[in-house]
């Protein structure tokens, strides 16, 4: 079977391409740039292309069985709260082009990477948040433009399924983290940013937390995410499905966990001027258990330890090279 992984130069796309490659599928990987960290080999063909251009999407989807669409202009809270127009324009173009090209070229199944950012702000005002069920997305009120575009593309997938018969699968990822992810530069997410800060700190230093640290999230380990994508693609479930952990943690406790793993003695400093996103967010995994008979299960402590070790090692190697 021939599969196309869009966004394979990125974090989840890179891990997914490697997973599919190891399974023995013929993997075509595409990205606009290749600055990710996944060790090669992870594909049979590596193509550099801009998926905002229809001709590129058209050429790539010819003769492909399954498409995994993970290409997106995205980043952590520091990025998506600052950038609106470019995120919406770039991602809508990529998704429209990929759905249209996949339909025209007879792709058998299409995976779209949606996000927990589709969920309405009014359901996420309390740190002791009630976990989000798939049906909570409507009536809609995502807190960022990024989430509105994801919701639009979920609907676009539904419309392509109804009107043009494209077989779609849609996952809503909840904060995916793990080794080989970006940890600096402005697009990194909270776990990677905190790991970087701790790795760079010396005993006795202070590290900065965005907000008051009481905001809550759940974080899903990358291996669980990739396994979930694979299981969803092999299922007959064609509605949006959460892929997330339901282990809720405050950002402050996450920072303390990383400090403990590092063995350092550090203090926390809170910057209330920095964006913190919704107050609380958790994944309700009732539906995924029901339809896939499976749910993400890697304990946060285990996944964070692997992530911290990778980031620490990567920073050390880079400093040595200088
Ligand atoms: P990432 O930024 O690491 O990967 C996205 C990749 O898309 C990048 O390598 C980027 O170069 C590529 N890309 C961007 N514009 C492109 C274009 N015009 N043409 C071709 N490639 C282009 O992000 P990620 O964390 O791996 O996320 C993958 C998908 O999952 C995205 O759709 C993202 O919105 C979604 N998602 C991720 C998370 C998470 O926690 N990481 C959570 C929810 C949803």
């Amino acid at each position: 079977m021939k599969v196309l992984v869009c966004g394979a130069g990125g974090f989840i796309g890179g891990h997914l391409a490697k997973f599919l490659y190891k399974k023995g599928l013929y993997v075509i990987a595409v990205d606009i740039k290749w600055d990710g960290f996944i060790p090669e080999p992870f594909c049979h063909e590596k193509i550099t292309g801009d998926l905002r251009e229809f001709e590129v999407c058209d050429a790539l989807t010819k003769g492909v069985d399954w498409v995994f669409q993970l290409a997106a202009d995205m980043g952590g809270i520091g990025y998506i709260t600052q950038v609106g127009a470019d995120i919406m324009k770039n991602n809508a173009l990529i998704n429209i082009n990929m759905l249209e090209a996949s339909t025209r070229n007879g792709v058998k199944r299409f995976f779209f990477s949606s996000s927990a950012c589709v969920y309405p702000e009014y359901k996420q005002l309390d740190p002791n948040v009630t976990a989000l069920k798939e049906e909570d997305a409507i009536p809609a009120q995502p807190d960022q433009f990024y989430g509105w575009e994801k919701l639009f593309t979920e609907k676009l997938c539904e419309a392509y399924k109804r009107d043009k018969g494209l077989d779609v699968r849609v996952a809503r990822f909840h904060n995916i983290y793990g080794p080989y992810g970006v940890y600096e530069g402005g697009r990194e997410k909270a776990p990677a940013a905190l790991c970087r800060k701790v790795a760079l700190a010396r005993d006795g230093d202070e590290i900065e937390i965005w907000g008051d640290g009481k905001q809550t999230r759940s974080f899903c380990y990358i291996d669980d995410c990739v396994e979930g994508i694979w299981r969803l693609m092999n299922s007959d479930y064609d509605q949006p499905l959460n892929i997330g952990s339901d282990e809720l943690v405050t950002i402050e406790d996450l920072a303390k966990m990383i400090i403990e793993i590092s063995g350092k003695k550090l203090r926390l400093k809170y910057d209330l001027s920095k964006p913190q996103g919704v107050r609380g967010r958790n994944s309700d995994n009732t539906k995924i258990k029901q339809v896939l008979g499976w749910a993400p299960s890697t304990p946060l402590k285990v996944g964070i330890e692997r992530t911290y070790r990778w980031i620490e090692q990567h920073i050390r190697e880079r400093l040595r090279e200088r």
Side-chain angles (χ1 to χ4, degrees):
M1 181 158 66
K2 213 178 229 190
V3 301
L4 174 67
V5 181
C6 306
F11 172 52
I12 306 174
H15 276 274
L16 177 68
K18 185 123 189 159
F19 174 93
L20 299 169
Y21 181 84
K22 280 195 191 159
K23 277 214 176 292
L25 280 72
Y26 189 90
V27 178
I28 305 170
V30 60
D31 206 293
I32 197 167
K33 57 178 171 53
W34 299 97
D35 54 4
F37 303 112
I38 297 285
E40 302 213 21
F42 55 79
C43 63
H44 298 84
E45 292 178 48
K46 190 169 157 184
I47 297 171
T48 307
D50 185 345
L51 301 172
R52 290 171 298 184
E53 292 174 17
F54 180 75
E55 295 68 31
V56 174
C57 300
D58 188 40
L60 282 166
T61 46
K62 287 194 166 57
V64 164
D65 296 301
W66 284 7
V67 166
F68 294 86
Q69 197 330 63
L70 291 99
D73 182 358
M74 70 94 69
I77 193 75
Y79 183 73
I80 64 169
T81 49
Q82 294 306 311
V83 185
D86 282 349
I87 284 182
M88 292 193 87
K89 182 195 70 177
N90 291 335
N91 293 346
L93 284 172
I94 293 171
N95 291 321
I96 292 169
N97 286 338
M98 282 306 303
L99 279 161
E100 180 63 23
S102 299
T103 305
R104 286 196 202 175
N105 289 316
V107 163
K108 296 190 188 78
R109 200 161 278 181
F110 184 96
F111 174 85
F112 172 58
S113 51
S114 187
S115 167
C117 289
V118 301
Y119 288 113
E121 194 173 10
Y122 60 80
K123 293 243 171 208
Q124 305 172 84
L125 298 174
D126 190 336
N128 297 314
V129 62
T130 305
L132 295 156
K133 287 184 190 298
E134 284 75 357
E135 56 269 29
D136 290 334
I138 307 288
Q141 193 206 343
D143 65 323
Q144 304 298 333
F145 292 119
Y146 169 77
W148 280 104
E149 190 284 329
K150 290 289 189 196
L151 203 55
F152 161 76
T153 297
E154 285 192 5
K155 280 286 167 196
L156 197 62
C157 288
E158 191 183 318
Y160 266 81
K161 184 185 71 175
R162 194 196 72 178
D163 296 359
K164 299 173 191 262
L166 184 67
D167 193 15
V168 295
R169 299 289 179 273
V170 177
R172 290 182 186 148
F173 298 153
H174 288 245
N175 292 312
I176 313 302
Y177 74 99
Y180 305 118
V182 58
Y183 60 83
E184 62 182 2
R187 288 190 188 235
E188 66 279 15
K189 305 263 185 109
L194 290 170
C195 285
R196 182 200 70 230
K197 289 176 188 177
V198 172
L200 288 171
R202 298 210 189 106
D203 259 345
D205 282 356
E206 261 182 357
I207 63 156
E208 185 188 273
I209 303 236
W210 287 13
D212 65 1
K214 304 287 184 231
Q215 66 272 35
T216 53
R217 291 292 184 279
S218 72
F219 296 96
C220 177
Y221 190 59
I222 183 67
D223 291 0
D224 285 336
C225 173
V226 167
E227 180 69 32
I229 297 172
W230 177 245
R231 286 175 184 254
L232 176 57
M233 274 302 260
N234 283 286
S235 80
D236 55 10
Y237 192 72
D238 60 8
Q239 302 298 310
L241 189 66
N242 286 336
I243 294 188
S245 160
D246 56 5
E247 185 182 342
L248 197 66
V249 65
T250 65
I251 293 297
E252 183 177 57
D253 284 347
L254 175 67
K256 287 179 183 164
M257 184 186 282
I258 298 169
I259 292 170
E260 193 190 317
I261 289 166
S262 75
K264 298 181 186 181
K265 295 217 166 5
L266 304 175
R267 287 167 296 125
L268 301 177
K269 177 172 80 180
Y270 302 88
D271 187 344
L272 301 179
S273 71
K274 292 281 172 44
Q276 57 160 293
V278 292
R279 201 63 184 138
R281 174 175 289 164
N282 197 5
S283 175
D284 184 302
N285 286 348
T286 311
K287 182 79 83 190
I288 193 171
K289 285 180 189 156
Q290 192 186 317
V291 299
L292 301 184
W294 173 92
S297 63
T298 306
L300 184 63
K301 183 89 191 282
V302 172
I304 283 291
E305 169 132 31
R306 290 183 199 150
T307 308
Y308 178 76
R309 298 282 171 235
W310 180 78
I311 290 176
E312 186 192 36
Q313 164 95 8
H314 202 257
I315 289 176
R316 200 179 300 136
E317 280 167 12
R318 273 191 9 207
L319 291 175
R320 212 178 293 137
E321 279 165 18
R322 279 188 194 154

